[in-house]
Amino acid sequence: MLQSIQERYGEKLRASDGEIGHVRDFYFDDKNWIVRYLVADTGGWLAGRLVLISPHALGHLYPEGKVLLVNLTRQQIENSPSIDEQKPVSRQHEEEYHRHYGYAYYAESMPLWGLAGYPVLVPPPPGSEAKQQSGDSHLRSARAVNGYAVEASDGTVGEIADFLIDGRTWVIREIVVECGHWYAGKKVIVSTDKVSRISYDQSTVYVDSTKRAFTEASERAEE
């Protein structure tokens, strides 16, 4: 069963020894649509710090409840690297994060989480320190992409209204598109396999489809 990312925002997070804040965002890799981090807003506990929580510490993302359990202690989270929401997450930051928790690295080439059930990050080659400082060009904020225009091959369809995630694999399988006046403002579900690219300069998601295909898909779903 796929779950709405939009509905998870604000959900409370509880570590093994107490609450740590709430769900602020999800960072996903736009090459394979895998969620690599949940962003936790620690609220008053750590003076509003934002910290990354890996699916390693969450396991499966079960249907929405009042609290999302995190398999970490408050001390571990307090000592973890914080992030700046206004800046991209650098490769160096990710390496520091994974060293802090002792997690394996994520793999850039793996289509899903790999044999162990979680992704593995391949360490960068020697001499790539300068590249490490730059942000990961494929790591994106679900909150930021929400509201992007959706462009079909024959025109604008609407805008992103939500993402639907597989709670077992942490893969975003579908996007929810809120159509414009041309289709009575209806919402249409589109597989992420149909997304050809995302332009962050133009705030647009491009899909390999036509407006007619969108309407036909919606009509089939309503039957």
Side-chain angles (χ1 to χ4, degrees), residues 7-27:
E7 292 178 359
R8 308 303 296 230
Y9 294 149
E11 187 172 355
K12 290 183 179 179
L13 294 164
R14 180 178 295 156
S16 59
D17 54 354
E19 290 192 8
I20 57 172
H22 65 269
V23 177
R24 165 69 184 173
D25 201 352
F26 292 85
Y27 285 174

Side-chain angles (χ1 to χ4, degrees), residues 84-103:
D84 184 341
E85 198 175 25
Q86 304 304 316
K87 297 179 181 179
V89 176
S90 70
R91 187 62 176 271
Q92 186 178 47
H93 182 100
E94 287 200 88
E95 288 177 45
E96 181 183 356
Y97 175 87
H98 282 260
R99 280 196 300 270
H100 173 74
Y101 286 112
Y103 293 149

Side-chain angles (χ1 to χ4, degrees), residues 119-138:
V120 178
L121 178 70
V122 177
S128 60
E129 290 80 4
K131 186 177 180 180
Q132 294 178 45
Q133 297 290 346
S134 62
D136 184 336
S137 61
H138 294 285

Side-chain angles (χ1 to χ4, degrees), residues 26-180:
F26 292 85
Y27 285 174
F28 67 94
D29 187 320
D30 68 6
K31 289 194 298 184
N32 46 35
W33 292 89
I34 294 174
V35 170
R36 284 183 12 200
Y37 301 104
L38 177 154
V39 180
D41 185 333
T42 59
W45 172 49
L46 294 179
R49 257 184 64 191
L50 297 178
V51 296
L52 301 178
I53 304 291
S54 167
H56 282 282
L58 294 159
H60 293 174
L61 187 64
Y62 293 102
E64 184 180 6
K66 294 182 179 179
V67 178
L68 187 58
L69 301 179
V70 181
N71 188 26
L72 296 169
T73 66
R74 285 163 63 96
Q75 188 67 47
Q76 284 178 298
I77 294 168
E78 184 174 2
N79 294 339
S80 70
S82 60
I83 63 168
D84 184 341
E85 198 175 25
Q86 304 304 316
K87 297 179 181 179
V89 176
S90 70
R91 187 62 176 271
Q92 186 178 47
H93 182 100
E94 287 200 88
E95 288 177 45
E96 181 183 356
Y97 175 87
H98 282 260
R99 280 196 300 270
H100 173 74
Y101 286 112
Y103 293 149
Y105 288 100
Y106 285 104
E108 294 181 314
S109 58
M110 286 186 179
L112 295 177
W113 286 84
L115 298 177
Y118 293 99
V120 178
L121 178 70
V122 177
S128 60
E129 290 80 4
K131 186 177 180 180
Q132 294 178 45
Q133 297 290 346
S134 62
D136 184 336
S137 61
H138 294 285
L139 191 60
R140 300 298 170 185
S141 157
R143 183 180 285 273
V145 175
N146 196 66
Y148 273 24
V150 177
E151 188 81 10
S153 59
D154 54 354
T156 301
V157 176
E159 62 181 37
I160 300 289
D162 200 356
F163 300 90
L164 301 181
I165 184 174
D166 183 325
R168 184 178 64 84
T169 62
W170 289 79
V171 175
I172 297 176
R173 299 291 185 187
E174 297 172 335
I175 56 177
V176 180
V177 181
E178 186 168 342
C179 299

